[in-house]
Amino acid sequence: INKDIAEYVNGVKAKYTDHTDVSMTYALNFEDKNYVSLVLSSTVTERGAANGESYDHGAVYSKNTGERLPLSRFVRIKKTDTLVKHLKKGGWKLYNGQGKAISFNPEFVPENLSEEFYLSDAGSLAVIYQQGELAPYSEGAVRVIMKRRRHY
């Protein structure tokens, strides 16, 4: 777990130059006897720019093996069509970077399913899409909240 986190931190540190400012935070989102789940957030801002480029990295680790676990371990979703269908029907909720519920906009359909996710509680998880992938850039990184251990 620490090695994986260190690789992420080193990757963010490598973006720091004389012309950029870099910041990073983390949050422990869920922990039980089997899993630890967190989000590492970073922002890289060109000096003089009004806004930085933000990125949220979600990860779930097995406390037994230390292995980073894939999304497929918790939900069985294979195509973006399924994601879009559930968002249109309102079965899954979409939240912006400030935690506000937002409506799905069909102009923003991701090319791929994201592997960035975290467990939000014992029964659900949040899949992270970066700025502009599933909502307007101004919404920040968005989260799709869905139930765990389901086939979709």
Side-chain angles (χ1 to χ4, degrees), residues 103-136:
S103 298
F104 172 68
N105 181 337
E107 292 181 29
F108 292 90
V109 176
E111 294 179 22
N112 301 303
L113 292 173
S114 176
E115 277 295 322
E116 300 290 343
F117 75 101
Y118 60 91
L119 303 180
S120 53
D121 60 39
S124 59
L125 60 83
V127 179
I128 301 170
Y129 281 89
Q130 304 307 322
Q131 292 176 306
E133 290 182 338
L134 189 57

Side-chain angles (χ1 to χ4, degrees), residues 32-81:
D32 66 9
K33 66 179 184 167
N34 296 313
Y35 308 112
V36 60
S37 178
L38 47 92
V39 174
L40 299 161
S41 300
S42 61
T43 302
V44 178
T45 306
E46 292 288 328
R47 295 227 171 99
N51 296 305
E53 188 78 24
S54 296
Y55 184 78
D56 288 350
H57 172 75
V60 178
Y61 299 97
S62 166
K63 288 175 85 173
N64 299 317
T65 66
E67 171 189 20
R68 181 170 177 206
L69 301 173
L71 180 62
S72 61
R73 173 80 177 258
F74 300 97
V75 293
R76 303 287 187 245
I77 178 174
K78 299 190 186 317
K79 301 186 319 186
T80 56
D81 293 350

Side-chain angles (χ1 to χ4, degrees), residues 81-94 103-104 152:
D81 293 350
T82 305
L83 174 81
V84 169
K85 179 181 83 171
H86 284 277
L87 287 171
K88 281 182 178 177
K89 288 182 177 181
W92 294 344
K93 302 298 181 199
L94 186 61
S103 298
F104 172 68
Y152 293 105

